[in-house]
Amino acid sequence: ADLLILLTSVPGLMDLNDTPAVNIIPLVKDVDAVLHFAQEEKGTFSVGGMASKLRAVKDAVQGGIECVIASGRHPEQVAAVVEGGGIGTRFPVK
């Protein structure tokens, strides 16, 4: 099975609205339902932000490719992500 891993500066798609705590959303079955979580705030070193990543994920999932957004700051977990674990947000194929 194909898998696209998008490494970013955050550990996954986060729901910042519920509480002051950081809540990583572990599984998203409908990308459209979470687009509002992607605020278009861009840091000095980021281009495109989370919204463009979610658009890429949506295209990939529709094309039959499972996706994961995970932190590039923890490359040691990439093997676990490939095996279905690790910390991140997983987008299964419909």
Side-chain angles (χ1 to χ4, degrees), residues 61-78:
V61 168
Q62 286 176 341
I65 300 171
E66 179 181 2
C67 297
V68 178
I69 294 177
S71 174
R73 295 178 178 175
H74 299 283
E76 69 280 357
Q77 75 157 354
V78 170

Side-chain angles (χ1 to χ4, degrees), residues 23-36:
N23 295 317
I24 298 168
I25 302 168
L27 182 69
V28 173
K29 294 183 179 177
D30 180 6
V31 178
D32 288 324
V34 296
L35 283 173
H36 65 280

